[in-house]
């Protein structure tokens, strides 16, 4: 059995999960059980993967399952500090289109805490050709 250790800490609205070892088919189920025990509804999850040097498809599936659970409960998942091999798997499988990847845990925490900017309307929607600003043109 590949060794994998878990730790977590709760911050306001965020659960940081630190993993170390190999994340693979021999322990991905243990990770899912651990997450079910420590996750608070509505929390965002940040995975600190600095000490994960190997990850297979089962490990990747466990991270994706956490994404599905988080989304259902109103949260999100972010990956931080990926090493070369896990980062390559995330990139090749395009998992990073669902799970944002950050250079550091602090970068991930900042991203979670920063509210997204509201979409901006194109300038053409706010000013018409007459310059009246109504967004519609007179007939």
């Amino acid at each position: 059995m590949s060794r994998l250790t878990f730790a977590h800490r709760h911050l306001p609205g965020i659960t940081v999960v630190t993993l170390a070892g190999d994340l693979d088919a021999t322990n991905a189920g243990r990770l899912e059980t651990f997450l079910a025990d420590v996750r608070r509804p509505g929390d965002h999850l940040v995975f600190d993967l600095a000490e994960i040097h190997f990850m297979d498809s089962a490990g990747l599936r466990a991270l994706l399952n956490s994404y599905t659970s988080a989304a259902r409960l109103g949260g999100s998942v972010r990956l931080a500090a990926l090493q070369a091999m896990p980062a390559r798997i995330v990139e090749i499988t395009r998992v990073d289109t669902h799970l944002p990847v950050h250079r550091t845990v602090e970068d991930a925490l900042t991203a979670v805490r920063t509210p997204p900017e509201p979409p901006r309307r194109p300038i053409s929607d706010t000013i018409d050709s007459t310059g009246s600003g109504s967004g519609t043109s007179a007939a």
Side-chain angles (χ1 to χ4, degrees), residues 6-18:
F6 320 109
H8 78 285
R9 63 185 162 122
H10 291 297
L11 302 172
I14 304 167
T15 300
V16 179
V17 177
T18 302

Side-chain angles (χ1 to χ4, degrees), residues 44-131:
H44 299 280
L45 286 175
V46 172
F47 285 96
D48 179 353
L49 302 175
E51 296 300 319
I52 295 292
H53 298 284
F54 176 81
M55 180 170 52
D56 69 7
S57 61
L60 195 59
R61 185 179 64 246
L63 294 176
L64 284 169
N65 287 345
S66 72
Y67 163 77
T68 303
S69 296
R72 218 176 314 135
L73 297 171
S76 66
V77 173
R78 294 177 181 273
L79 308 179
L82 271 79
Q83 297 300 310
M85 187 272 198
R88 184 74 178 130
I89 289 174
V90 167
E91 178 186 356
I92 288 171
T93 59
R94 302 198 61 198
V95 166
D96 55 347
T97 61
H98 298 289
L99 306 177
V101 176
H102 301 274
R103 194 174 48 83
T104 66
V105 171
E106 199 54 48
D107 289 348
L109 293 173
T110 298
V112 168
R113 292 175 178 143
T114 304
E117 286 188 29
R120 295 183 180 177
R121 291 183 11 194
I123 197 161
S124 62
D125 286 353
T126 57
I127 301 174
D128 65 38
S129 60
T130 64

